[in-house]
Amino acid sequence: MDELSMPTPPATAPQPPAPPIPLAELLAREDLGLRRIAGPADAELLWVHTSEMADPYPYLLGGELLLSAGVLLTDPDRYVARLVEAGAAALGFGVRPVYEAVPEALVEACDRYGLPLLEVPPQTPFTTIARAVWRLMAEARHRELRRVTRAQQALATAAARPDPVPAVLHQLATQLSGRAVLLTARGEEVHAAGRRPHPEAAAALARLARVVARARPGSPASATDTHGDTHLAAYALGGGEGLVLSLATHRREPGDHTVAGIAVVLLSLLAAPHQGADAADRSAALVRLLLGATPAEVAPLLGPDGPWTVIHARRSDGTTPDALTAGALGASLGSALVDAGREDDDGTVRVLLPATASETPPHPGDDEEPGEPSQARTVPPHPGWTLGVSAPAPLPALAAADTRAARALAHAEATRTPLKVDAPVTGLAALIPPDQAAAHARTLLAPLTPSLADTLRCWLSLHGSWDRTAVALSVHRNTVRQRIGRCAELLDVDLNDMDVRTELWFALRRE
């Protein structure tokens, strides 16, 4: 029999779309008429799945409310054992037309294996139950987002206080109803807030903090554990000094990890004085920009003599990185200036990196001059990420560098390469004065709209590949063909001519 599913997440995306739903909330829906007749009442639901297979084990992700009418039920004991082995959260059994009542052997098996068993009355379709669960999940997701938003606002307000680190820790402890501690790599307490946990739990928290301390090579960015009824968590802060945020709470709610991630980013910036005066100045400049200052006002802190490198990054598997994952990338690149974006964007992380950190003396035999920036050496590919890197730029040109980094990332994704660097102008092109080159580019490309110019630039950079350009621009290949045809028409040129392509590429690189 074919597998039936109502709306069940695909096996390729095993992460639940919303916080888990307590089984009690579903049972409280009087319109469904559900009744728990076996097993515990404290289950949490992640999915809804319907199957009439004799053994649905291969198709379960774990955490499901499995709905069945028992069409092929022959061995209740083995059936329930396999559901528990697969991690199912509960079983909903529909009476009629196959069974007039829930089989007693199935009730006994669910009690024996500890699987909640719900009786589904004949008047309640399985689709109605599925809709109810997803509606409850949507409501829970909305509550989580509201809670995270309130926590983010509270933490940002605390970060603007004269004593920001203690204020952020106090606010974090309040939001999570627990203990928040900032520790050094040696376990020394820098600041703390919230009620102290039991001494044994505090000792376990200190041990967990040492696991993620960045003073130890290869340490993970975060770790969790439990001690009795206390939930423990430790998060490494960016900067390479081994500072760790440790949390101890007596309950764990949806959104806690996100709230902790926001605090990690803020504390990584606020703890910058522990990492040297230069880092503190740059972090202060970032905070001032966030509070409404202009780039010119913060230029003395960021370093007006620059230059800076802009990096755009996306996860290679297509997932959206959270604040902790983005912060870990920034730390590995040597910068706390990280923009993790928003949940509703395309998952791009932006990092602002001092270009001085990317200047490495060449090895003997290299063709580069001593002290020449070498992006290829200092921004290597990062496993799990696709990176687009701009050429070094002064502060007034950061907007253009940001655009070039975005183009480099699109090029890297289209060509399926882990890293693409937008190299500075070199060779014969560098001999033409920049102002003259820019004037020529503006005149030549004047007939094109920004969208057409971007499409032409991308198409030329990918050697005229329709498919790769479509991937890079996230449009259909026919749209690319239409735009390129329009470019040729407006410019009155033959884009199959290599001389024409070369001149247009020169102009597009300098507009």
Side-chain angles (χ1 to χ4, degrees):
M1 179 175 293
D2 292 337
E3 190 70 358
L4 304 176
S5 54
M6 303 175 309
T8 302
T12 55
Q15 294 300 316
I21 299 301
L23 179 60
E25 288 192 20
L26 185 65
L27 292 173
R29 289 282 302 268
E30 296 182 358
D31 58 312
L32 298 177
L34 304 178
R35 185 167 66 95
R36 183 176 61 88
I37 58 177
D42 57 354
E44 292 188 329
L45 311 179
L46 298 179
W47 326 100
V48 183
H49 192 66
T50 299
S51 174
E52 297 302 342
M53 299 186 71
D55 181 16
Y57 175 95
Y59 300 94
L60 300 183
L61 300 173
E64 293 91 351
L65 167 61
L66 181 66
L67 302 174
S68 174
V71 174
L72 298 180
L73 181 66
T74 56
D75 186 347
D77 188 273
R78 183 178 184 278
Y79 182 78
V80 174
R82 290 285 283 172
L83 295 185
V84 172
E85 184 180 355
L91 173 62
F93 194 88
V95 296
R96 300 180 192 166
V98 182
Y99 288 88
E100 291 297 318
V102 180
E104 187 61 30
L106 185 64
V107 176
E108 294 174 357
C110 286
D111 271 330
R112 185 163 53 253
Y113 287 100
L115 180 69
L117 175 61
L118 312 183
E119 180 186 69
V120 181
Q123 68 271 18
T124 303
F126 287 172
T127 53
T128 301
I129 299 174
R131 285 197 298 267
V133 171
W134 295 116
R135 183 170 299 152
L136 289 172
M137 286 185 171
E139 294 171 357
R141 180 62 170 166
H142 180 65
R143 290 194 300 269
E144 177 188 352
L145 291 176
R146 290 183 61 185
R147 174 175 178 253
V148 169
T149 299
R150 289 194 299 267
Q152 182 178 16
Q153 293 171 344
L155 290 170
T157 300
R161 292 186 52 179
D163 53 346
V165 173
V168 168
L169 288 173
H170 173 76
Q171 190 57 241
L172 181 61
T174 300
Q175 295 293 330
L176 301 183
S177 300
R179 175 80 167 174
V181 186
L182 186 63
L183 300 172
T184 67
R186 296 183 296 276
E188 300 166 345
E189 190 174 291
V190 180
H191 294 289
R195 181 177 298 179
R196 290 183 178 274
H198 188 274
E200 293 183 0
L205 186 61
R207 290 194 297 270
L208 191 66
R210 288 194 290 271
V211 172
V212 301
R214 292 197 180 280
R216 300 177 57 186
S219 299
S222 63
T224 60
D225 197 2
T226 57
H227 189 277
D229 61 349
T230 303
H231 299 282
L232 309 176
Y235 304 89
L237 302 187
E241 292 298 316
L243 291 176
V244 176
L245 171 63
S246 300
L247 303 173
T249 60
H250 289 289
R251 57 187 174 85
R252 185 172 295 169
E253 295 186 0
D256 283 0
H257 182 71
T258 303
V259 173
I262 295 169
V264 167
V265 173
L266 285 173
L267 290 171
S268 295
L269 292 171
L270 296 171
H274 293 277
Q275 304 158 14
D278 291 342
D281 287 343
R282 288 194 292 271
S283 296
L286 178 61
V287 171
R288 292 187 187 184
L289 280 173
L290 293 174
L291 295 177
T294 65
E297 292 174 310
V298 300
L301 290 177
L302 280 175
D305 294 331
W308 294 83
T309 294
V310 181
I311 300 173
H312 281 219
R314 275 199 286 265
R315 295 291 300 173
S316 303
D317 57 7
T319 59
T320 300
D322 56 21
L324 284 176
T325 305
L329 174 66
S332 67
L333 290 168
S335 176
L337 305 182
V338 180
D339 175 16
R342 305 181 306 276
E343 286 193 6
D344 59 348
D345 68 9
D346 61 357
T348 300
V349 174
R350 299 191 300 174
V351 182
L352 189 59
L353 184 68
T356 52
S358 65
E359 291 183 1
T360 305
H363 297 289
D366 285 352
D367 293 332
E368 300 168 357
E369 294 296 327
E372 183 179 345
S374 178
Q375 293 288 348
R377 293 197 204 116
T378 55
V379 185
H382 280 60
W385 291 90
T386 302
L387 305 181
V389 183
S390 78
L395 185 64
L398 282 185
D402 183 61
T403 300
R404 294 186 183 278
R407 293 171 181 168
L409 175 60
H411 189 287
E413 290 184 322
T415 56
R416 298 182 181 180
T417 56
L419 173 69
K420 171 63 178 176
V421 178
D422 182 73
V425 177
T426 57
L428 291 174
L431 300 178
I432 302 176
D435 54 345
Q436 295 182 20
H440 173 74
R442 287 192 297 269
T443 301
L444 180 62
L445 302 174
L448 302 183
T449 64
S451 176
L452 290 177
D454 284 342
T455 302
L456 181 58
R457 180 187 300 102
C458 185
W459 182 72
L460 289 173
S461 72
L462 295 171
H463 310 290
S465 170
W466 307 109
D467 291 332
R468 289 182 174 182
T469 304
V471 170
L473 298 177
S474 300
V475 298
H476 195 275
R477 66 195 308 269
N478 288 343
T479 301
V480 176
R481 288 183 178 274
Q482 291 170 0
R483 291 180 183 177
I484 296 301
R486 183 59 175 162
C487 289
E489 179 182 346
L490 291 173
L491 296 174
D492 192 22
V493 295
D494 178 8
L495 291 178
N496 292 319
D497 189 322
M498 190 60 193
D499 289 338
V500 172
R501 291 194 182 194
T502 301
E503 184 173 5
L504 287 173
W505 178 246
F506 174 90
L508 288 164
R509 291 275 290 162
R510 284 151 188 81
E511 66 162 340

